[in-house]
Amino acid sequence: MEIILGKTAGFCYGVKRAVEGAKKEIEENNNLYCLGEIVHNKQVIEQLEKNGMTFIETLNQVKQKNANVIIRAHGVSKNIYELAKDKNIKIKDYTCPNVLKIHEIAEKYANEGYYILLCGNETHPENIGTISYCNENYDVIEKEDELDNIIQKILENKINKVLLISQTTYNLEKFNNIEKELKNQLYKNNIDLVIKNTICRATELRQKETKEIAKKADYMIIIGGKNSSNTKKLFEIANKYCNNTVCIETVEELDIEKLKQFETIGIMAGASTPDESINDVINKITKKFV
Ligand code: SF4
């Protein structure tokens, strides 16, 4: 049996920075909160909670005075910074620099009057943050088949300046298709179209590698949190090229007996999957078959 492990599997730069930052903050601060899950991974969250961090959904849940609140890699809406100031809360900002860059782009173009088309999921925390910089002149597009209606809206409302950006973890193939169709439809109507591919390079490389491994593998294992959007996308990509693709959160979910009928096992993991979870899976397979 051969195991192909993705070189890009596991924590990305932004998540690593936030998780390591959180560990450091625990050592240096009392009254430490984190707004939302620092990373979509149950095991990591449980460990941080054990060490004294409290996870909250809104700043209203902060009960102590002089509290410190961590902002995770996804970033937050503009108003959170103002609210924190009003409540005397100290922000420890671990928003990924790639996400901060998107906020900057959205704000700049929104202030110049551009209508912003954001590829991604409207309810994803990263996009909730980005939308707050769009001056309410935006749409979110998740699936390619939504594009026709959006183009119609642009033309009917005589919108003449459009910016296309994306969630950092959006599927590159879909983004390229949307870009192509927008160019086809908007340029001929003399609409100023600005394209900024804001898909994170780490995501792009991981998605490309997933595709390549899935093409070679007989069985493909994607490791990642159940609510991790980038893990879901890796599963989607792998499943397209390898019929036997599974998505698991921890090694306990691996159906090890099923693997004996396969020769090449591909392994990939989302940006929020710690090395320990990946190693657990590899160890279990090698112990049994290699
Ligand atoms: S996936 Fe990219 S943008 Fe998102 S946290 Fe990781 S490095 Fe930053």
Side-chain angles (χ1 to χ4, degrees), residues 12-15 73-74 96-99 126 168-169 200-203 206 271:
C12 61
Y13 151 77
V15 168
H74 286 325
C96 178
N98 294 343
V99 176
E126 180 192 308
T168 54
T169 50
C200 159
R201 188 86 186 114
T203 305
R206 191 180 293 107

Side-chain angles (χ1 to χ4, degrees), residues 199-227:
I199 295 176
C200 159
R201 188 86 186 114
T203 305
E204 199 180 313
L205 291 175
R206 191 180 293 107
Q207 290 180 356
K208 276 188 182 156
E209 200 186 15
T210 301
K211 179 173 160 181
E212 291 318 311
I213 296 177
K215 279 185 192 166
K216 293 181 207 151
D218 309 313
Y219 193 79
M220 189 76 193
I221 303 166
I222 308 290
I223 313 166
K226 295 270 180 276
N227 49 356

Side-chain angles (χ1 to χ4, degrees), residues 45-61:
I45 301 284
E46 282 171 1
Q47 192 59 43
L48 289 170
E49 270 176 338
K50 225 165 94 188
N51 292 339
M53 185 174 291
T54 307
F55 288 89
I56 51 173
E57 291 306 318
T58 76
L59 290 186
N60 292 332
Q61 289 170 269

Side-chain angles (χ1 to χ4, degrees), residues 67-159:
N68 300 285
V69 174
I70 288 183
I71 303 292
R72 59 190 173 170
H74 286 325
V76 288
S77 304
K78 253 202 262 191
N79 70 328
I80 296 290
Y81 296 96
E82 289 148 25
L83 194 61
K85 218 169 158 187
D86 291 347
K87 287 179 167 288
N88 226 349
I89 289 170
K90 210 163 163 194
I91 291 287
K92 306 278 181 180
D93 198 349
Y94 288 95
T95 306
C96 178
N98 294 343
V99 176
L100 289 175
K101 185 81 199 151
I102 301 181
H103 293 177
E104 225 176 79
I105 294 171
E107 189 166 42
K108 174 181 181 288
Y109 282 87
N111 288 341
E112 289 174 18
Y114 278 76
Y115 156 85
I116 298 174
L117 189 51
L118 169 63
C119 297
N121 178 303
E122 190 155 17
T123 58
H124 189 280
E126 180 192 308
N127 292 331
I128 292 173
T130 300
I131 286 167
S132 72
Y133 291 88
C134 293
N135 289 355
E136 302 200 349
N137 189 18
Y138 72 92
D139 267 304
V140 181
I141 175 167
E142 187 166 8
K143 297 189 193 115
E144 290 158 79
D145 61 12
E146 294 161 10
L147 189 57
D148 282 350
N149 283 342
I150 288 173
I151 290 176
Q152 213 178 334
K153 173 182 164 181
I154 293 172
L155 297 176
E156 277 174 12
N157 292 306
K158 299 198 173 8
I159 294 170

Side-chain angles (χ1 to χ4, degrees), residues 172-188:
L172 181 64
E173 262 180 52
K174 286 191 198 167
F175 183 85
N176 289 339
N177 293 340
I178 291 170
E179 172 179 350
K180 204 167 142 203
E181 190 54 19
L182 276 179
K183 281 179 174 167
N184 278 344
Q185 300 298 328
L186 302 192
Y187 282 161
K188 65 182 179 203

